[in-house]
Amino acid sequence: MTMQAQDVDVKAAPPTGQSRDAGAAAVRTTNDYVRRWVDSCVSLCQPDRVVWLNGTREERQRLIRQGMDEGVFIELNQEKLPGCYLHRSNPNDVARTEQLTFICTPSQDMAGPTNNWMETKVAYSKLRGLFHGCMKGRTMYVIPFVMGPIGAPLAKVGVQLTDSVYVAVNMGLMTRMGEVAWKQLGDEDEFTRCLHSLGDVNPERRYICHFPIDNTIWSFGSGYGGNALLGKKGLALRIASYLGRQQDWMAEHMLLLGATSPNGEKTYVAAAFPSASGKTNFAMMIPPEKYRNEGWKITTVGDDIVWMWVDGATGRLRAINPEAGYFGVLPGTNEETNPNAMASMSRNTIYTNVALTPDGDVWWEGKTKDPPKEAIDWTGQPWTADCGRKAAHPNSRFTAPMENNPALDPAADDPGGVPVSAIVFGGRRSRTIPLVFQAFNWIHGVYIGATLGSETTAAATGAVGIVRRDPMAMLPFIGYNIRDYLVHWFRMRKKMVDCPRIFHVNWFRKDDQGRFIWPGFGENMRVLKWIIDRARGRAYARETVVGWMPRSKDIDLDGLDITHDQVEALQTINPDDFTSEILSQEELFLKMAGDLPKEMVFQRELLISRL
Ligand code: GTP
Ligand code: SPV
Ligand code: MN
């Protein structure tokens, strides 16, 4: 035991003999690996204070008050929004920065052609330079957390060190934080070492570095979302996907929902859509009135990340959601499109980069039909409805605990997870790609997932609306070589006695006037119903070039003002468009040149020969 880890105040006891900092508490673990690692990070970052967090409600309140003193949080109208606060991030720090995100390994081949790579030693030495003394005058928070329901065989412990009180509060909402983590860790060395500093929040000195071999993440210079809440994309996707490949399980960018039919039959469906492309909405969907009256109910297990393994007893795929909260997109979210999300963020929620209205409420584009007359925009500037600027950032988000979700699935906290009957891939495609089709089999489904294309969104910095290949919606999140990732998907099938059926959907096809043809949101239940019936061997489909497709009469349109002809149009595959689609898939194939798994090559040939 060394001095640093024991003392709350690293330099000297504060004059009062009490800590100057909110929630300061003595070191909370006897785990020597943790203590030694925290000591080494304290020596490197040189914080004034080290505060070990325990994840209690009282502590969260103290942290929020501390953040309010520092100007990090603004209290919202507590009558309307109890326990809710607003945070404005630095305008240069509003989304994940994929170009500044690295997989750090001894050889570039381990990271593969789709990741930014840095050699391990080069990365450590570069980042050590940045972290050196970066927390002088600041507090280092020690955040123990578990990803996954407590007791789940796959549940993983992480410890994040951060100088951001915003990150500390968000980690408390997004993970199972506190004593549970020390308990699960015991005396072992098995935890992800997550070191994070805001630094000077300068994109020139921003690096999000993953060291899968060391089970370590170092993130510097960003306080936003996936860049900074290291349990999420860093641990639960990049590090976890690497571990999963070694240990025969999968970490995927997927939602997980339960669908209960009128006769009580429950089907769990996992779906991978790229960032800001509909996972939260699908996972929290409220079925149309007709379906509700019949007795259909959708419940949420997770909205962003799924860990899956093959159950030895049944040979079937099972899944858990490693997260405990939602970091959800706000623009477009409202009482009509996603009432469960609105309820989830009605209390104990952090709002990031939205507008503040005069009555202490929040607003974002699409929250209500009529915007407020005036507000303070997400940058803190006065805003009026006719000023021509956006009130909220396009990637503004809410952080809410999953317990707030009225549609939370009873199994969301179940360490045993749930069985997965269908896997759905989907992209944002204004043209070419039909509403829904089913893969011929697992290998074909993996090919469909691997060649998934989607128009880019504001969830990552860079151009918006450009079609790019986003394999399994995991392009920015695969923690190793994509070649090995695809092989892993093919091999997982061999461990299963029976496998989930694989589907592709596209809610985003537009007409010539640029309007969405399909109503989306709750109405997606109609497509989900066909998917469930197919997965259970009940619904009809015809064989087409791309896979099994429903005829328009196989999709129930009762109560919708959309005709069967329009659905036929949505399902149309135009041969010319599809030829360009196949050509644009080459973008990915060329990157993987020479390294393409043979299944991919054969599937491409079969597709071309079907055309
Ligand atoms: P990440 O959290 O970034 O991984 O995103 P996500 O996949 O959870 O996306 P989310 O459900 O938050 O949706 C992003 C945007 O797409 C929001 O503006 C939604 O309103 C919109 N959206 C979601 N579902 C639909 C749909 O069925 N149709 C249409 N037109 N828009 C949708
Ligand atoms: C995504 O971009 O896919 C997100 C948001 O879920 S973030 O956590 O910022 O990555
Ligand atoms: Mn996501």
Side-chain angles (χ1 to χ4, degrees):
M1 288 189 296
T2 63
M3 289 305 288
Q4 280 97 330
Q6 272 190 318
D7 289 349
V8 165
D9 190 303
V10 173
K11 283 182 177 159
T16 58
Q18 296 244 306
S19 164
R20 287 173 302 224
D21 213 280
V27 57
R28 286 184 180 271
T29 178
T30 52
N31 183 302
D32 280 335
Y33 298 104
V34 173
R35 287 167 170 242
R36 275 201 295 269
W37 171 67
V38 173
D39 283 350
S40 70
C41 293
V42 167
S43 306
L44 176 63
C45 302
Q46 302 167 22
D48 278 17
R49 292 166 294 278
V50 180
V51 176
W52 295 68
L53 300 184
N54 61 20
T56 60
R57 267 167 200 276
E58 299 69 43
E59 179 189 81
R60 182 189 300 167
Q61 220 36 58
R62 281 199 301 273
L63 289 170
I64 288 172
R65 239 171 278 136
Q66 170 93 21
M68 281 166 57
D69 291 346
E70 294 171 12
V72 171
F73 293 120
I74 297 168
E75 190 174 53
L76 294 168
N77 183 330
Q78 294 299 298
E79 303 212 325
K80 273 188 155 178
L81 295 166
C84 296
Y85 301 84
L86 167 66
H87 170 74
R88 297 187 187 122
S89 75
N90 188 313
N92 79 29
D93 187 29
V94 293
R96 280 182 300 100
T97 44
E98 295 178 1
Q99 72 284 10
L100 307 176
T101 301
F102 293 84
I103 301 298
C104 307
T105 47
S107 83
Q108 181 157 17
D109 186 69
M110 295 182 72
T114 55
N115 280 311
N116 300 311
W117 173 74
M118 250 195 271
E119 196 276 329
T120 312
K121 291 200 193 79
V122 171
Y124 276 131
S125 123
K126 188 177 196 94
L127 269 79
R128 227 175 254 125
L130 295 169
F131 276 108
H132 185 82
C134 71
M135 295 189 191
K136 276 183 190 156
R138 299 185 191 177
T139 301
M140 175 191 275
Y141 298 99
V142 182
I143 304 167
F145 62 95
V146 177
M147 300 309 291
I150 304 304
L154 288 183
K156 296 277 176 280
V157 175
V159 182
Q160 177 159 353
L161 309 180
T162 180
D163 54 10
S164 161
V165 72
Y166 168 80
V167 166
V169 171
N170 274 269
M171 286 294 288
L173 294 168
M174 295 300 295
T175 72
R176 291 157 177 93
M177 169 179 156
E179 299 299 331
V180 286
W182 300 135
K183 212 167 151 200
Q184 168 158 345
L185 185 58
D187 301 331
E188 303 292 309
D189 189 17
E190 254 195 68
F191 65 99
T192 307
R193 290 156 163 82
C194 305
L195 176 60
H196 170 253
S197 173
L198 292 169
D200 56 354
V201 198
N202 182 340
E204 301 289 316
R205 282 184 290 282
R206 182 172 296 160
Y207 292 93
I208 297 95
C209 286
H210 305 74
F211 303 86
I213 297 170
D214 301 341
N215 200 3
T216 292
I217 307 169
W218 283 16
S219 165
F220 190 90
S222 167
Y224 199 88
N227 282 349
L229 312 177
L230 299 184
K232 196 172 176 59
K233 307 299 187 178
L235 193 168
L237 285 178
R238 299 196 187 96
I239 298 282
S241 63
Y242 169 86
L243 289 175
R245 190 213 161 206
Q246 294 178 327
Q247 303 165 357
D248 293 338
W249 53 281
M250 307 166 90
E252 297 297 332
H253 191 202
M254 290 178 175
L255 67 93
L256 184 55
L257 63 76
T260 309
S261 77
N263 64 16
E265 176 190 75
K266 187 121 188 210
T267 308
Y268 287 96
V269 175
F273 309 155
S275 299
S277 299
K279 290 185 299 301
T280 304
N281 279 269
F282 199 46
M284 296 183 181
M285 170 197 2
I286 295 185
E289 194 183 349
K290 173 187 163 183
Y291 285 76
R292 289 200 308 274
N293 291 344
E294 283 170 14
W296 282 94
K297 191 171 162 48
I298 302 298
T299 42
T300 316
V301 184
D303 82 326
D304 196 47
I305 301 178
V306 167
W307 288 354
M308 305 190 284
W309 72 100
V310 180
D311 174 45
T314 60
R316 291 193 56 194
L317 203 59
R318 291 190 79 83
I320 52 169
N321 166 19
E323 301 191 280
Y326 311 119
F327 184 60
V329 173
L330 284 168
T333 303
N334 60 51
E335 287 296 348
E336 249 108 80
T337 57
N338 195 347
N340 284 324
M342 297 303 284
S344 301
M345 61 177 104
S346 61
R347 57 187 189 279
N348 300 332
T349 293
I350 304 295
Y351 288 89
T352 301
N353 292 344
V354 293
L356 176 64
T357 61
D359 60 344
D361 201 345
V362 283
W363 194 79
W364 53 86
E365 276 66 23
K367 183 189 182 190
T368 52
K369 274 204 190 72
D370 298 319
K373 275 200 204 63
E374 52 171 18
I376 308 291
D377 75 8
W378 68 276
T379 67
Q381 305 304 308
W383 176 95
T384 54
D386 55 5
C387 73
R389 284 179 291 118
K390 285 211 184 324
H393 188 275
N395 191 38
S396 52
R397 292 193 178 240
F398 66 93
T399 321
M402 68 177 183
E403 70 199 21
N404 281 1
N405 180 0
L408 188 67
D409 191 275
D413 223 7
D414 186 341
V418 301
V420 180
S421 297
I423 291 175
V424 183
F425 295 111
R428 239 179 214 279
R429 296 299 299 271
S430 38
R431 295 166 53 82
T432 314
I433 304 297
L435 178 65
V436 60
F437 57 93
Q438 181 187 355
F440 293 123
N441 54 39
W442 180 269
I443 294 182
H444 181 226
V446 174
Y447 176 84
I448 288 169
T451 54
L452 183 71
S454 197
E455 289 150 19
T456 50
T457 66
T461 54
V464 169
I466 314 250
V467 176
R468 74 165 181 186
R469 295 300 129 190
D470 191 347
M472 278 76 175
M474 280 285 282
L475 180 71
F477 309 122
I478 303 171
Y480 58 103
N481 193 315
I482 187 172
R483 165 198 68 211
D484 302 329
Y485 172 81
L486 295 180
V487 169
H488 184 48
W489 263 89
F490 290 122
R491 284 194 189 151
M492 283 300 288
R493 171 66 185 96
K494 298 180 183 163
K495 299 181 190 308
M496 293 177 232
V497 172
D498 194 4
C499 66
R501 306 298 187 259
I502 299 183
F503 299 82
H504 190 291
V505 299
N506 174 26
W507 315 137
F508 298 94
R509 203 158 175 175
K510 289 182 176 168
D511 63 18
D512 294 338
Q513 280 76 50
R515 290 171 306 213
F516 292 116
I517 304 172
W518 180 249
F521 304 104
E523 305 297 347
N524 294 334
M525 180 67 220
R526 299 165 189 273
V527 175
L528 178 62
K529 166 86 166 44
W530 181 78
I531 288 174
I532 291 168
D533 284 340
R534 284 295 296 174
R536 292 190 173 274
R538 294 192 290 241
Y540 188 82
R542 64 180 171 210
E543 187 184 317
T544 72
V545 170
V546 293
W548 298 109
M549 273 198 173
R551 300 159 302 184
S552 72
K553 67 176 176 188
D554 298 314
I555 302 282
D556 167 35
L557 301 180
D558 190 21
L560 267 190
D561 55 357
I562 182 168
T563 63
H564 282 286
D565 282 349
Q566 278 173 297
V567 171
E568 283 299 341
L570 270 172
Q571 289 290 72
T572 308
I573 300 159
N574 176 317
D576 288 343
D577 284 355
F578 220 78
T579 308
S580 333
E581 177 68 15
I582 293 173
L583 284 173
S584 85
Q585 293 178 359
E586 296 296 315
E587 174 199 333
L588 176 73
F589 293 145
L590 286 174
K591 259 194 185 157
M592 296 181 62
D595 260 353
L596 213 52
K598 60 184 180 312
E599 292 89 341
M600 293 289 295
V601 179
F602 296 148
Q603 286 297 326
R604 178 173 57 172
E605 293 311 310
L606 284 171
L607 171 60
I608 292 169
S609 53
R610 282 196 301 269
L611 270 181

